[in-house]
Amino acid sequence: REPWDHTRMGDREAQYAADKAFMENLLSRAPFNEYDAYWCLCSSKHHGVGVLVKRGIKPPISISRTLTIGQTTSDDIDTTEGRVLILEYERFVFMNSYVPNNGAKPDRWERRRLWDARMEAFVKHHNAPGRKPLIWCGDLNVAHREVDVGPQPEMFVHTAGFTVPERQRFGQILLKGGLVDVYRALHGDRQAFTWRSHLGSGGPIRAAYDWAGMRLDYFIASASLMPRVKSIRLSTDSMVEEFARLRPVTCFFGSDHCALFLTLHPHDASDASEAKEHAKDVICISD
């Protein structure tokens, strides 16, 4: 067999051929046919990231699918599992990632620790003088602070995504990368969740967990890029909690994660509040 092509949808197996046909049909229709698609895909359905870019925007200067500095070829986690897609543009670097879940066993903990170490080295590299600012989005599989889980933090003790080592390492990644959690920067300590548990039944403990939420999905940006940030919101921000718990399809699109929207002022605005008439805001969506 030829090596798996992580840049495009595959059809080796019958089930994947059907999925590919469905996606190609979807992307051929409005509004998706107005976008170019970039992929980093796994050879199974469990992982994969993609970025849709509005046509008319200049193509990326470079595309990478690994956290390894100076390398664009595949490696065992980033590319093989379809976890990283990095698009370099004229004024910033855009990264979408699906971070490995910490799991509940020592081998998974070590694997996540190694991933975090590589991510720290990557963002530290991009924080060096003369480097382009970074926008990083995706399912980062960590709830950084107690306000990022609910209804009570005690429910999440030892839970993947909320363990102390994960949260501490994430804080170091932000620090070493000169990065800002954009939602927290603009909304303070507002409690909001991007992931919601599946509703079900099974006694008082399960019933309590049914209402659990975690903020696992982010837009992270270099501090130098923050003056360009116009707004950020979750698709559920305007909803009452009782309705958001139901994971409405207009916000979750059949997933257990909701969408995030980041809007940037145009680069050639005279300042952050006065954009030139011909310039347009840059809108980024993570789902």
Side-chain angles (χ1 to χ4, degrees), residues 54 79 99 160 190 211 233 249 273-274 279 285:
K54 190 83 170 186
T79 318
V99 175
R190 173 179 180 171
W211 303 119
R233 65 180 178 88
V249 68
S273 61
E274 296 182 13
I285 304 172

Side-chain angles (χ1 to χ4, degrees), residues 97-113:
S97 71
Y98 177 27
V99 175
N101 188 285
N102 195 54
K105 296 181 178 179
D107 61 326
R108 295 284 297 275
W109 300 338
E110 176 63 12
R111 187 165 172 270
R112 175 60 181 272
R113 187 191 67 78

Side-chain angles (χ1 to χ4, degrees), residues 153-170:
E154 293 77 16
M155 294 171 56
F156 295 88
V157 175
H158 306 308
T159 297
F162 194 62
T163 64
V164 172
E166 289 175 276
R167 294 162 61 197
Q168 289 178 339
R169 291 195 301 264
F170 185 64

Side-chain angles (χ1 to χ4, degrees), residues 3 6-7 19 22 36 43 59 75-76 79 110 112-114 139 144 149 162-163 175 181 185 197 205 238 255 265:
H6 301 278
T7 68
D19 291 340
F22 173 82
D36 291 317
S43 57
D75 57 45
D76 62 338
T79 318
E110 176 63 12
R112 175 60 181 272
R113 187 191 67 78
L114 292 173
D139 179 357
H144 189 204
V149 297
F162 194 62
T163 64
L175 179 64
D181 177 347
S197 63
I205 295 178
S238 61
S255 172
H265 291 288

Side-chain angles (χ1 to χ4, degrees), residues 230-284:
K230 182 176 183 179
S231 65
I232 185 171
R233 65 180 178 88
L234 309 186
S235 57
T236 56
D237 274 351
S238 61
M239 294 182 178
V240 296
E241 172 64 13
E242 289 73 18
F243 187 57
R245 290 171 178 172
L246 301 177
R247 294 187 287 116
V249 68
T250 53
C251 299
F252 289 81
F253 309 104
S255 172
D256 50 2
H257 293 252
C258 73
L260 293 79
F261 301 83
L262 172 70
T263 303
L264 303 179
H265 291 288
H267 173 78
D268 54 0
S270 58
D271 59 45
S273 61
E274 296 182 13
K276 293 181 179 180
E277 291 184 1
H278 70 274
K280 296 182 179 180
D281 292 338
V282 178
I283 301 175
C284 308

Side-chain angles (χ1 to χ4, degrees), residues 7-130:
T7 68
R8 62 181 180 85
M9 292 178 283
D11 54 7
R12 284 180 179 172
E13 311 296 338
Q15 59 174 331
Y16 299 155
D19 291 340
K20 178 182 178 181
F22 173 82
M23 288 298 298
E24 287 180 339
N25 180 54
L26 182 67
L27 292 171
S28 69
R29 301 183 179 190
F32 300 107
N33 59 0
E34 300 176 6
Y35 293 81
D36 291 317
Y38 301 91
W39 306 105
C40 180
L41 299 175
C42 180
S43 57
S44 73
K45 297 173 64 174
H46 299 293
H47 315 123
V49 292
V51 175
L52 301 182
V53 180
K54 190 83 170 186
R55 287 181 180 162
I57 295 176
K58 290 182 179 180
I61 296 170
S62 67
I63 302 173
S64 178
R65 296 173 176 85
T66 175
L67 293 175
T68 303
I69 306 301
Q71 178 177 315
T72 58
T73 55
S74 63
D75 57 45
D76 62 338
I77 297 179
D78 304 345
T79 318
T80 304
E81 294 191 1
R83 293 194 177 274
V84 177
L85 181 58
I86 304 162
L87 307 181
E88 179 190 2
Y89 288 96
E90 182 181 359
R91 302 194 183 280
F92 59 79
V93 174
F94 188 90
M95 175 168 63
N96 184 10
S97 71
Y98 177 27
V99 175
N101 188 285
N102 195 54
K105 296 181 178 179
D107 61 326
R108 295 284 297 275
W109 300 338
E110 176 63 12
R111 187 165 172 270
R112 175 60 181 272
R113 187 191 67 78
L114 292 173
W115 168 280
D116 288 342
R118 293 184 64 197
M119 181 61 75
E120 181 179 320
F122 177 86
V123 300
K124 185 177 180 181
H125 170 80
H126 280 275
N127 192 34

